Amino acid sequence: MSEAPRRLGGRQLVQQPELTDTAEARLRTRELLLAWGLEEAQAQGMLAGTAFARAGGNAVVTEDVPELLGRAARTYREWAVAHRGAFEAV
C-alpha cells in the first residue's frame, strides 16, 4: 500500500494480507460479504470481478477514461488526496 492513504485523515490504515485464491478463501470471502449484508448475486459478482483481475483482466490499458471524462485518469494517490474526507474518523 502506498503511503498516501496511510496518512489521510490521521487514521492508520492496515493493509490485510492478500488471501490466496483457493476454494476455501473464496468461500470465506463469500461468507464475509453475505454477513456484511450483500445479496448472493452481489457477492458472486465481487468474486467474479476479483477472479477476472487476478487472471490479468485489468492489465489492458484503454483510452476510455480520457474519452469519457475529457481528462487523463488520476493516480491512486491523487484520488486518495482528493477524497481524504472519506478516510477521516467519524
Side-chain angles (χ1 to χ4, degrees):
M1 180 181 289
S2 74
E3 290 301 314
R6 289 185 185 180
R7 291 189 310 250
L8 292 174
R11 284 176 48 184
Q12 176 68 33
L13 300 180
V14 179
Q15 182 176 6
Q16 297 295 321
E18 183 177 340
L19 291 174
T20 57
D21 191 21
T22 64
E24 179 184 352
R26 288 188 299 275
L27 179 61
R28 282 189 307 169
T29 301
R30 177 188 163 275
E31 290 171 352
L32 279 172
L33 294 171
L34 295 174
W36 291 338
L38 273 69
E39 296 186 17
E40 181 67 32
Q42 293 170 310
Q44 292 299 332
M46 290 184 78
L47 291 169
T50 300
F52 177 79
R54 284 180 187 262
N58 285 351
V60 177
V61 177
T62 69
E63 291 299 316
D64 293 346
V65 169
E67 287 178 19
L68 289 170
L69 301 180
R71 61 167 175 78
R74 294 186 211 176
T75 65
Y76 181 77
R77 176 183 291 275
E78 291 167 334
W79 174 86
V81 169
H83 293 88
R84 74 171 32 120
F87 298 97
E88 294 176 357
V90 181

